[in-house]
């Protein structure tokens, strides 16, 4: 689907969709429980449907390794690899888009040490073996998803385990969300605040009735719309949430100030696209978005995609190995077609930047927003956004 936007301001009240990150975590914990849980305010997206599908396959009776189609969801894949080993002795994992190209070496290093077999061939990752209690060593600066996967699986083992980080933890907010979800389902894991987690064994997930919060990650795009001049009221968010991406609020305030600004995104990589849209329209000011190397292994190479899209719209973005330098402008030229890069956050970034373009903007592959925010285009229109679709 191609969307052509006629630039203009948005206005009105908007409640972001339920948190995809929290939904993954609560659904997995609920499925691992022994009773019936009720999870309210669940929004179906491609990533959430992948987790539901894979947990159903893991819990289904049967012999042999379960086949788990993770779609394009990195969270589903990395969260469930250790869970599959703990529950079923492994599994056969498949995916779409760039998913199976994304690195899994932190798990592979563990597998080699623990005698767990793995093979990745023709887009299928097969893991076979059993997790055993003990120490698990991981880098903390690759992806917090590896830590989360082990935090879900290790409580199911018969004795205590530890997760030991060899480098400082990045994306701490996502680990806080995981620990919060575990606690709500009666599972204990103790983090020392530095590089060690202690995970008691022989635990059980208890059933719970819970409601998923609104999503700070997607709310960030509406904050970006506010920044570029839209009169929006953003509601439904938990100001005391464990979601790390509520960092958008202090960064929003920082970008409103004068002078050069550095934004460290090591703890909030998913905020880079909306932050970049704001920085691109921060007239006369320079913004550096730093510690962003992990953006290269998302649904797209997000450092490259952000640069390509914003520069095509008329922005001034410099791409570096692990950071971006953005020279803000009052308006962007627009009048071009840009790719959504099969990346939901890039397509939404382009839609927000288009608000302050002087000419229309066409976004190709705009349906990719379904990965996390299926109703984005409907919400955009409800706020007064003008666009046409070409399917």
């Amino acid at each position: 689907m191609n969307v052509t936007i006629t630039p203009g301001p948005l206005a009105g009240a908007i409640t972001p969709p339920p948190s995809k990150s929290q939904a993954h975590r609560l659904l997995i914990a609920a499925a691992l429980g022994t009773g019936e849980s009720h999870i309210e305010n669940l929004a179906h997206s491609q990533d959430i449907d992948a987790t539901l599908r894979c947990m159903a396959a893991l819990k289904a009776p049967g012999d042999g390794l379960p086949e788990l189609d993770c779609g394009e969801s990195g969270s589903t894949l990395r969260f469930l690899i250790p869970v599959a080993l703990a529950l079923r002795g492994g599994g056969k994992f498949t995916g779409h888009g760039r998913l199976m190209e994304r690195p899994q070496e932190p798990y592979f290093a563990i597998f080699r040490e623990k005698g767990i077999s793995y093979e990745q061939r023709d887009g299928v990752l097969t893991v076979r073996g059993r997790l055993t209690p003990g120490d698990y060593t991981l880098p903390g600066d690759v992806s917090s998803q590896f830590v989360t996967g082990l935090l879900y699986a290790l409580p199911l083992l018969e004795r205590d385990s530890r997760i030991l980080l060899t480098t400082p933890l990045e994306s701490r907010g996502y680990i806080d969300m995981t620990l919060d979800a575990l606690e709500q389902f009666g599972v204990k894991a103790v983090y020392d605040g530095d590089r060690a987690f202690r995970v008691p064994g022989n635990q059980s997930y208890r059933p719970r009735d819970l409601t998923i919060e609104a999503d700070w990650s997607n709310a960030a795009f509406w904050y970006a719309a506010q920044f570029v001049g839209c009169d929006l009221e953003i509601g439904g968010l938990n100001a005391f949430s464990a979601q790390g991406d509520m960092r958008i609020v202090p960064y929003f305030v920082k970008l409103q100030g004068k002078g050069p600004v550095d934004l460290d995104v090591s703890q909030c990589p998913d905020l880079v696209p909306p932050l970049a849209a704001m920085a691109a329209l921060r007239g006369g000011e320079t913004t550096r978005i730093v510690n962003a190397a992990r953006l290269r292994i998302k649904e797209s190479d997000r450092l490259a995609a952000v640069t390509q899209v914003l520069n095509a719209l008329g922005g001034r973005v410099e791409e570096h190995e692990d950071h971006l330098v953005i020279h803000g402008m009052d308006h962007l030229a627009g009048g071009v077609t840009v790719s959504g890069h099969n990346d939901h956050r890039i397509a939404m970034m382009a839609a927000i930047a288009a608000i302050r373009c002087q000419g229309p903007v066409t976004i190709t592959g705009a349906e990719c927003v379904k990965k996390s925010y299926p109703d984005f285009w409907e919400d955009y229109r409800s706020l007064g956004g003008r666009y046409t679709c070409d399917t």
Side-chain angles (χ1 to χ4, degrees):
M1 179 180 79
N2 301 332
V3 167
T4 299
I5 297 171
T6 299
L10 309 180
I14 186 69
T15 297
S19 168
K20 179 168 71 80
S21 296
Q22 189 183 58
H24 280 302
R25 289 162 170 79
L26 297 186
L27 289 171
I28 292 170
L32 292 173
T34 54
E36 185 175 278
S37 294
H38 296 89
I39 307 298
E40 301 291 338
N41 197 34
L42 176 68
H44 284 274
S45 64
Q46 290 175 340
D47 281 10
I48 294 305
D49 287 346
T51 288
L52 288 167
R53 180 172 62 242
C54 290
M55 287 309 302
L58 280 173
K59 298 289 286 187
D63 298 325
L65 297 182
E67 297 184 1
L68 307 171
D69 177 2
C70 300
E72 294 188 50
S73 174
S75 295
T76 303
L77 176 63
R78 289 173 173 164
F79 291 177
L80 296 189
I81 287 173
V83 172
L85 288 165
L87 289 182
R88 300 286 297 273
K92 296 180 179 180
F93 294 86
T94 60
H96 306 282
R98 283 166 43 104
L99 180 64
M100 303 313 292
E101 301 171 18
R102 294 168 73 171
Q104 310 300 333
E105 179 57 31
Y107 280 154
F108 295 164
I110 287 173
F111 296 164
R112 291 191 291 269
E113 176 188 347
K114 303 288 186 181
I116 295 169
S117 71
Y118 67 93
E119 178 184 49
Q120 190 159 0
R121 178 183 298 176
D122 299 328
V124 180
L125 171 62
T126 302
V127 295
R128 191 187 305 269
R130 290 285 180 182
L131 293 182
T132 55
D135 288 350
Y136 288 78
T137 302
L138 284 171
D141 59 351
V142 176
S143 172
S144 64
Q145 292 170 346
F146 297 107
V147 178
T148 286
L150 288 171
L151 285 172
Y152 273 99
L154 295 179
L156 302 173
L157 306 184
E158 61 271 20
R159 296 191 305 279
D160 297 358
S161 299
R162 293 189 303 170
I163 302 171
L164 305 174
L165 304 181
T166 58
T167 56
L169 179 64
E170 294 188 1
S171 296
R172 165 71 185 268
Y174 288 105
I175 296 301
D176 289 340
M177 289 180 68
T178 299
L179 294 172
D180 180 68
L182 293 175
E183 182 178 7
Q184 292 191 75
F185 283 86
V187 171
K188 182 178 181 181
V190 181
Y191 178 40
D192 71 355
D194 186 17
R195 298 196 186 185
F197 297 82
R198 182 174 60 83
V199 186
N202 200 32
Q203 299 190 67
S204 298
Y205 289 81
R206 297 198 298 265
R208 287 296 310 276
D209 295 343
L210 297 168
T211 300
I212 298 168
E213 300 173 357
D215 185 43
W216 278 98
S217 302
N218 281 323
F221 290 98
W222 303 123
Y223 273 94
Q226 279 188 337
F227 185 89
V228 302
C230 298
D231 182 14
L232 296 184
E233 179 184 343
I234 306 169
L237 294 161
N238 178 7
F240 303 98
S241 174
Q243 297 178 56
D245 282 352
M246 64 184 297
R247 192 177 297 242
I248 189 62
V249 175
Y251 281 5
F252 174 90
V253 173
K254 196 171 185 180
L255 286 171
Q256 289 179 314
K258 297 294 185 181
V261 166
D262 280 14
L263 301 176
D264 183 343
V265 295
S266 60
Q267 304 299 324
C268 54
D270 284 345
L271 293 184
V272 168
L275 290 172
M278 288 188 258
L281 288 158
R282 190 172 170 249
E285 305 290 358
T286 298
T287 306
R288 295 174 72 248
I289 297 177
V290 302
N291 294 324
R294 285 188 293 130
L295 273 292
R296 296 200 180 276
I297 53 173
K298 294 290 188 176
E299 287 83 347
S300 66
D301 177 341
R302 279 194 187 145
L303 292 185
V306 165
T307 303
Q308 290 167 16
V309 169
L310 291 178
N311 283 348
L313 293 175
R316 293 179 57 206
V317 183
E318 300 171 12
E319 177 189 350
H320 298 269
E321 183 178 356
D322 63 353
H323 68 282
L324 300 174
V325 179
I326 304 176
H327 304 283
M329 307 175 72
D330 290 326
H331 294 87
L332 302 178
V336 295
T337 296
V338 297
S339 171
H341 289 268
N342 195 36
D343 188 329
H344 52 135
R345 301 195 194 280
I346 297 300
M348 289 188 282
M349 177 196 75
I352 299 303
I355 293 168
R356 285 269 292 278
C357 284
Q358 294 173 320
V361 173
T362 298
I363 305 169
T364 63
E367 71 278 3
C368 63
V369 299
K370 293 179 181 178
K371 188 173 193 296
S372 67
Y373 196 162
D375 293 334
F376 175 78
W377 292 115
E378 288 79 1
D379 286 352
Y380 193 87
R381 176 167 279 157
S382 75
L383 295 168
R386 294 179 295 162
Y387 64 86
T388 59
C389 295
D390 174 11
T391 57

